[in-house]
Amino acid sequence: MTTVTDFFHYDTGRPGRMHVESGRIVALAEDLPLIGEVQSLQGATIAPALVDNHCHILPSGFDLGRLNLAPLLSAEAVLDAVRDRHRDEPDGWLIAVQYDQNRYGGIHLTRHDLDAISKARPIVLRHYNGHCSVANTAALRAAGVHDTSPDPAGGEFRRDANGAPDGVCFEHAHEMIWNAMPEPTHAERVAAILRAGASMADYGLVMAADMQTGQPDLLGELAAYRDSAATCAIETRLYLRWSKVFGPRAVDGDVLNAAIADLEATGRSRVCGIKIFADGAIGSATAAIYGAYVGETERETSGQLIYRPERLTEMVRTAADAGYPVAVHAIGDYAVDLVMDAFAATDDPTRHRLEHAMILRDAQIERLAALGCHVTMQPEFLHRFGHAYRRQLGDARTSRLKRFRSVLDAGIPLSFGSDRPIVPGDPRLAIRTAASRPDRFDPAENVSIREAIFAHTTAACAVTGERELGRLAPGFRAAWSDVSDLMG
């Protein structure tokens, strides 16, 4: 038996002593006797281990090797960086990430800008929010998109004066481009998961939930998570893309169940639910909101619904009736209403998760509390993307984004994630941001450091159904984080 002693509990501030046996807490109190080998934490303040319950693990691993445009502040700098990468690494698709037209005066680059670098090689700039991209002509053609191609359901090709796609692709149009890229090998997927896991462990995370497993190859991704589980620095929890489980081209049920069983036999990865997208994102003006975005004519609603309201409800009920908890991405307040309608149509709304919920009205918070569903937010967005939100929504609406305090005060289960690789995914930055919102964001929506830590630990575990992680208590695994630096 190992005795862990001499620490302070983050929630109570009181000293504690812990007995650990075979990696599991067997006793915890202030006055436990010293038994066996002593591991002193030297008065550190500890909390349950940090967890990211909304991110994209496999894409994070791939992005670590791609051209990152985040530091660049002009369209000219972006094009220079792409040109340099094309010269230095001339083979295959050229993928750049963290593109943000809001940093370049709000003006998107087009396929013609990228064609000037190469007309033969597919080039894609993925928007930081993952809901938009700019593709050159070669990438459009590789996806089967021509000048007369119609918009896909749930997506849009922005068009020039002649009606031809100009390379800016939103939502399902963006996915068409992404799906045309060459499939990675199994070894490349495993390596990407291991890279992402190592990077997340560097932030002190012990577990993360991937929120879109199966885009585009569900069985291939499950196999990669299975084969990386033993050596990955973090444990993984997976939410499967709805279309790959229930859509017209879904994986055969028996084959899928066998793949899930193989995955979960590792003891370090499991499937937690189903993921659905209801709308887009603020930075690309595709989040489904009431009213208009800045610069638009007045209208009742704006943005992009991915599915008709009736279809969204049908999809949520299909997954819920099959026994799955459902996590639905909804950033705009219009989309939030539709997701609540869908959850209310299920037998038990408390099983389900509303992801992001960036724009919430008081009446919506009251309804969320009555439904009892979980809400997951990403505080780091406020730190990284305030400029984009203000450009699209104006100061007044932007200041009220992500209403942490109001959600908690209403009794709604609130947990935190990052949406990595949209942001670097630093949980300590997220905790500090939730407790001290950046300038021009309403400080009345701040929460305490202890509440923010709870949302990134205990609450983040509860929403994924963890029964062995997330608490400093007997019976739970001995996994904790030193949060002394956060407690001031």
Side-chain angles (χ1 to χ4, degrees), residues 62-68 81-96 117-118 121-123:
F62 284 123
D63 276 12
L64 288 171
R66 290 172 173 149
L67 174 61
N68 188 337
V82 173
R83 191 176 294 107
D84 290 346
R85 179 61 65 98
H86 173 58
R87 180 196 64 226
D88 296 341
E89 300 179 16
D91 298 326
W93 285 56
L94 195 167
I95 311 299
I117 297 173
S118 177
R121 181 188 193 185
I123 301 174

Side-chain angles (χ1 to χ4, degrees), residues 12-247:
T12 66
R14 298 178 65 85
R17 182 170 292 168
M18 189 185 306
H19 285 184
V20 176
E21 185 173 358
S22 300
R24 196 171 295 272
I25 300 169
V26 295
L28 185 147
E30 291 183 40
D31 56 353
L32 290 177
L34 294 178
I35 302 173
E37 179 185 351
V38 174
Q39 176 187 352
S40 176
L41 297 180
Q42 298 180 336
T45 300
I46 69 169
L50 291 162
V51 166
D52 187 336
N53 79 340
H54 182 124
C55 65
H56 302 274
I57 300 167
L58 185 57
S60 293
F62 284 123
D63 276 12
L64 288 171
R66 290 172 173 149
L67 174 61
N68 188 337
L69 305 176
L72 307 180
L73 301 179
S74 71
E76 293 76 15
V78 168
L79 293 172
D80 286 345
V82 173
R83 191 176 294 107
D84 290 346
R85 179 61 65 98
H86 173 58
R87 180 196 64 226
D88 296 341
E89 300 179 16
D91 298 326
W93 285 56
L94 195 167
I95 311 299
V97 297
Q98 296 294 321
Y99 164 78
D100 181 3
Q101 89 286 359
N102 297 291
R103 294 186 180 275
Y104 329 133
I107 306 300
H108 276 292
L109 294 169
T110 70
R111 68 172 177 170
H112 306 296
D113 297 310
L114 301 180
D115 285 350
I117 297 173
S118 177
K119 291 184 178 180
R121 181 188 193 185
I123 301 174
V124 181
L125 314 182
R126 193 185 71 208
H127 201 276
Y128 76 82
N129 62 28
H131 291 258
C132 168
S133 58
V134 182
N136 72 344
T137 301
L140 291 169
R141 298 296 180 260
V145 179
H146 298 272
D147 288 355
T148 59
S149 295
D151 291 340
E156 178 187 359
F157 295 110
R158 201 181 71 167
R159 298 177 187 272
D160 61 23
N162 297 318
D166 72 356
V168 182
C169 309
F170 299 104
E171 304 303 336
H172 281 178
H174 151 78
E175 290 190 10
M176 287 178 62
I177 306 302
W178 211 249
N179 291 343
M181 298 175 192
E183 281 289 301
T185 66
H186 178 71
E188 288 170 339
R189 285 191 175 118
V190 169
I193 293 168
L194 294 178
R195 278 196 303 272
S199 175
M200 297 173 85
D202 285 345
Y203 282 124
L205 294 159
V206 300
M207 188 266 280
D210 183 86
M211 296 306 296
Q212 194 184 355
T213 306
Q215 175 61 26
D217 178 7
L218 178 54
L219 292 178
E221 291 186 17
L222 290 175
Y225 279 106
R226 177 199 65 205
D227 290 349
S228 63
T231 53
C232 188
I234 61 168
E235 296 188 22
T236 57
R237 305 292 182 261
L238 313 179
Y239 285 77
L240 311 184
R241 188 176 177 92
W242 188 94
S243 62
K244 301 298 182 177
V245 182
F246 302 106

Side-chain angles (χ1 to χ4, degrees), residues 173-436:
H174 151 78
E175 290 190 10
M176 287 178 62
I177 306 302
W178 211 249
N179 291 343
M181 298 175 192
E183 281 289 301
T185 66
H186 178 71
E188 288 170 339
R189 285 191 175 118
V190 169
I193 293 168
L194 294 178
R195 278 196 303 272
S199 175
M200 297 173 85
D202 285 345
Y203 282 124
L205 294 159
V206 300
M207 188 266 280
D210 183 86
M211 296 306 296
Q212 194 184 355
T213 306
Q215 175 61 26
D217 178 7
L218 178 54
L219 292 178
E221 291 186 17
L222 290 175
Y225 279 106
R226 177 199 65 205
D227 290 349
S228 63
T231 53
C232 188
I234 61 168
E235 296 188 22
T236 57
R237 305 292 182 261
L238 313 179
Y239 285 77
L240 311 184
R241 188 176 177 92
W242 188 94
S243 62
K244 301 298 182 177
V245 182
F246 302 106
R249 297 182 180 178
V251 175
D252 175 81
D254 290 339
V255 173
L256 177 59
N257 289 337
I260 292 174
D262 286 346
L263 170 85
E264 297 185 345
T266 66
R268 292 182 52 81
S269 186
R270 64 181 176 85
V271 170
C272 291
I274 297 294
K275 175 68 180 295
I276 300 173
F277 286 87
D279 70 343
I282 293 172
S284 50
T286 54
I289 64 172
Y290 290 109
Y293 284 97
V294 171
E296 293 181 338
T297 57
E298 283 302 315
R299 60 190 70 183
E300 185 177 350
T301 62
S302 301
Q304 180 79 56
L305 289 178
I306 307 302
Y307 305 102
R308 292 177 294 104
E310 299 81 6
R311 176 59 174 159
L312 176 64
T313 295
E314 178 187 3
M315 292 169 68
V316 170
R317 289 187 63 178
T318 295
D321 289 347
Y324 286 101
V326 185
V328 185
H329 164 118
I331 285 181
D333 47 356
Y334 178 34
V336 167
D337 274 340
L338 301 180
V339 173
M340 289 193 290
D341 289 344
F343 286 172
T346 68
D347 290 339
D348 184 5
T350 67
R351 300 184 67 218
H352 308 309
R353 300 176 48 163
L354 176 62
E355 306 301 303
H356 304 299
M358 291 191 66
I359 306 175
L360 289 175
R361 293 173 283 111
D362 289 348
Q364 291 179 312
I365 292 174
E366 292 176 8
R367 189 181 181 197
L368 285 169
L371 287 171
C373 61
H374 298 264
V375 173
T376 298
M377 293 185 176
Q378 297 70 35
E380 197 172 347
F381 281 17
L382 301 185
H383 179 81
R384 306 283 182 186
F385 305 131
H387 67 283
Y389 301 150
R390 280 184 282 275
R391 177 176 289 278
Q392 300 289 14
L393 297 174
D395 282 340
R397 282 187 291 181
T398 297
S399 71
R400 299 274 283 168
L401 294 177
K402 292 198 177 291
R403 299 180 62 185
F404 309 127
R405 178 79 271 154
S406 296
V407 167
L408 272 185
D409 286 350
I412 298 167
L414 175 66
S415 56
F416 289 160
S418 71
D419 212 10
R420 177 193 177 106
I422 303 304
V423 297
D426 181 348
R428 282 176 161 76
L429 176 58
I431 289 165
R432 292 189 179 101
T433 300
S436 182

